[in-house]
């Protein structure tokens, strides 16, 4: 879909509403524990400020009721450190104080407005035309000349700050959004063989991705791992034991076993299942081959084992393109990080490699891995693009 970018925007002297996604892990004291999301937007913000823009930054942190639902004061301080331009903080989003902070900006200055989700309507989803009439949009539009959306990680949401503004103002994609669309929207042109790794715990999304890329002949190989791999193993008749079965049932994934079985019946020649699994036994990592299943009653499958790692790594190294979506196991625990670390290391050696957002990108940072061609800033948005679904924020910009 055609969207305007910063190349189409006359920035000098204009007041811009810029939506970014800096939703970050926080420490117990409310400080930033990781600034990766902020670093991603430095290029867009620096360019707009350097070109003489007055920038009102819109962003969210956490969701109502969560431990990380907090104000953006710490984020503003870090942005002020990262940018060569002044960034102030306003503890209001669209009130008279917020509008005054925006209108008082000079060229080359930015203000970070308060967490958009402190405002109840922002946590709801609306059609773009209805979102354009919400208080947030209605109050800020008069003090803005144009709108820039750089929040790809939230682009699958239809919330006022994402879809309302471009309905009433000229809308443009920031550099993060532009880069994500260019890469993820053109998977068909990447070199083959093309391998998708679907892991982690987003079972419904991962099965949707697998179904989509297999039916469209985009994938030569689909490697399953993590909870997704466990669902496929159950679908193939493997007995992973009570602990893994209970987890899948309790998380609401049991019904997806039938979907996985259907995919195996139709595309089983291109879907690869784990050949072994690592469990915790007496505080140690123990690997069981499929022939040794089921594990003991209290032993859940926490990672893939060496047999799977070797087989998967060979496929990944020989791939023209690798798309990573989801870890191979509970990588946060060093005991069960082996599968994710070794598979991701092999994937980095492919001719062209794409890292999906969320936990996948977090694992890349944890293991300090490099060599990937594109690391997406979005988890859910990345998955939506890979399944061919339209993203509401992109739809709003294209209009």
């Amino acid at each position: 879909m055609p969207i305007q970018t910063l190349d189409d925007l006359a920035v000098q002297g204009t007041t811009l509403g810029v939506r970014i996604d800096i939703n970050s892990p926080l420490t117990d004291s409310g400080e930033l524990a990781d600034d990766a999301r902020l670093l991603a937007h430095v290029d867009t913000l620096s360019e707009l400020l350097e070109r003489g823009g007055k920038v009102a930054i819109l962003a969210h942190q956490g969701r109502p009721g969560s431990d990380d639902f907090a104000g953006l004061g710490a984020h503003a301080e870090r942005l002020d450190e990262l940018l060569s331009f002044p960034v102030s903080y306003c503890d209001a989003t669209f009130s008279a104080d917020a509008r005054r902070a925006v209108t008082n900006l000079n060229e080359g200055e930015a203000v970070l407005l308060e967490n958009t989700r402190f405002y109840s309507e922002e946590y709801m989803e609306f059609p773009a035309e209805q979102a354009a009439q919400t208080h947030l949009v209605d109050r800020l539009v008069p003090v803005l000349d144009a709108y820039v959306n750089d929040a790809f990680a939230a682009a699958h949401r239809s919330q006022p700050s994402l879809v309302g503004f471009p309905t009433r103002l000229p809308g443009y994609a920031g550099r993060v959004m532009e880069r994500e669309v260019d890469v993820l929207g053109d998977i068909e042109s990447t070199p083959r063989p093309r391998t998708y790794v679907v892991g982690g715990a987003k079972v419904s999304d991962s099965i949707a991705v697998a179904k989509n890329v297999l039916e469209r002949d985009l994938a030569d190989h689909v490697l399953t791992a993590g909870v997704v791999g466990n669902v496929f193993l159950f679908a193939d008749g493997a007995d992973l034991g009570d602990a893994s079965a209970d987890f899948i049932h309790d998380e609401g994934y049991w019904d997806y076993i039938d979907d996985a079985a259907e995919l195996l019946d139709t595309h089983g020649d291109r879907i690869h299942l784990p050949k072994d699994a690592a469990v915790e036994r007496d505080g140690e990592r123990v690997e069981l081959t499929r022939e040794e299943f089921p594990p003991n009653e209290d032993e859940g499958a926490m990672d893939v084992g060496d047999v799977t790692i070797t087989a998967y790594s060979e496929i990944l190294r020989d791939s023209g393109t690798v798309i990573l979506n989801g870890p191979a196991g509970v990588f946060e625990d060093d005991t069960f990080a082996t599968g994710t670390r070794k598979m991701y290391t092999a994937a980095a050696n492919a001719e062209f490699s794409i890292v999906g957002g969320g936990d996948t990108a977090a694992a890349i940072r944890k293991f300090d891995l490099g060599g990937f061609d594109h690391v997406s800033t979005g988890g859910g948005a990345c998955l939506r693009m890979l399944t061919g679904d339209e993203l509401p924020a992109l739809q709003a910009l294209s209009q």
Side-chain angles (χ1 to χ4, degrees):
M1 61 182 72
I3 55 176
Q4 295 190 105
T5 70
L6 301 190
D7 296 331
D8 305 301
L9 175 58
V11 176
Q12 185 74 42
T14 59
T15 303
L16 307 168
V18 182
R19 179 62 159 96
I20 62 177
D21 192 322
I22 50 176
N23 186 28
S24 305
L26 303 180
T27 66
D28 291 340
S29 61
E31 298 301 309
L32 289 170
D34 185 333
D35 64 0
R37 283 278 178 90
L38 286 78
L39 287 165
H41 295 288
V42 164
D43 287 349
T44 293
L45 295 172
S46 293
E47 178 179 344
L48 293 173
L49 292 166
E50 187 173 345
R51 290 170 61 184
K54 309 172 198 178
V55 176
I57 305 172
L58 293 157
H60 73 275
Q61 173 62 51
R63 60 184 64 189
S66 67
D67 292 338
D68 60 352
F69 190 49
L72 300 181
H75 304 67
E77 290 181 13
R78 185 62 180 135
L79 283 174
D80 189 54
E81 295 169 353
L82 292 172
L83 298 171
S84 301
F85 302 88
V87 179
S88 59
Y89 166 62
C90 178
D91 63 357
T93 310
F94 58 84
S95 67
D97 286 343
R99 296 194 298 276
R100 191 177 303 112
V102 174
T103 56
N104 286 342
L105 288 170
N106 295 314
E107 293 182 11
E109 292 182 351
V111 59
L112 177 59
L113 301 177
E114 187 56 281
N115 188 343
T116 57
R117 288 186 178 174
F118 281 4
Y119 161 55
S120 60
E121 282 185 309
E122 172 67 5
Y123 196 59
M124 302 165 66
E125 300 206 25
F126 303 93
E129 295 76 12
Q130 188 176 349
Q133 305 305 318
T134 57
H135 290 83
L136 172 68
V137 177
D138 199 52
R139 300 286 173 82
L140 286 180
V141 160
V143 297
L144 300 174
D145 298 310
Y147 169 79
V148 174
N149 193 339
D150 209 32
F152 175 77
H156 56 307
R157 308 291 186 194
S158 187
Q159 294 162 338
S161 69
L162 296 160
V163 302
F165 286 103
T167 305
R168 298 180 59 178
L169 293 169
Y172 303 84
R175 296 307 184 193
V176 171
M177 183 75 78
E178 179 185 5
R179 187 165 57 249
E180 296 274 14
V181 173
D182 285 347
V183 174
L184 299 176
D186 195 28
I187 294 293
E188 293 91 339
S189 68
T190 57
R192 302 191 83 144
R194 196 176 296 125
T195 300
Y196 286 75
V197 177
V198 291
K202 291 185 176 179
V203 174
S204 59
D205 288 340
S206 295
I207 287 180
V209 168
K211 184 175 189 292
N212 177 276
V213 299
L214 288 166
E215 290 180 347
R216 294 169 58 195
D217 194 31
L218 294 176
D220 299 290
H221 303 281
V222 172
L223 311 184
T224 65
V227 180
V228 177
N230 294 348
V231 167
F232 273 91
L233 282 171
F234 276 113
D236 196 47
D239 184 358
L240 273 176
D242 291 342
S244 293
D246 289 345
F247 179 84
I248 289 171
H249 183 272
D250 292 345
E251 293 297 314
Y253 300 145
W254 196 259
D255 291 343
Y256 291 104
I257 292 176
D258 289 340
D259 296 330
E262 186 176 333
L263 281 178
L264 288 173
D265 287 342
T266 310
H267 305 287
D269 57 325
R270 287 182 285 167
I271 300 174
H272 302 260
L273 308 186
K275 301 176 183 296
D276 54 357
V279 301
E280 182 175 355
R281 182 174 295 172
D282 299 326
E284 301 290 333
R285 176 188 175 103
V286 174
E287 296 185 2
L288 305 174
T289 64
R290 185 162 172 172
E291 291 71 28
E292 295 172 306
F293 291 171
N296 294 334
E297 183 178 354
D298 60 344
E299 296 174 348
M302 307 287 279
D303 191 14
V304 295
D306 284 342
V307 178
T308 304
I309 293 168
T310 300
Y312 281 12
S313 295
E314 184 176 343
I315 294 171
L316 292 167
R317 280 191 293 266
D318 292 340
S319 296
T321 301
V322 172
I323 299 97
L324 294 174
N325 253 292
V330 187
F331 72 92
E332 298 89 348
D333 183 338
D334 290 343
T335 304
F336 300 107
T338 307
T340 303
R341 178 172 50 79
K342 289 186 175 180
M343 284 173 54
Y344 283 17
T345 300
N349 293 319
E351 184 178 348
F352 187 76
S353 51
I354 297 171
V355 176
D359 287 342
T360 316
I364 296 298
R365 294 194 296 273
K366 173 181 170 67
F367 303 130
D368 195 24
L369 298 178
F372 297 96
D373 295 282
H374 180 72
V375 179
S376 178
T377 58
C382 178
L383 286 170
R384 287 278 289 270
M385 282 210 76
L386 292 175
T387 57
D389 286 350
E390 294 183 330
L391 301 182
L394 286 179
Q395 284 182 295
L397 284 180
S398 70
Q399 295 169 0

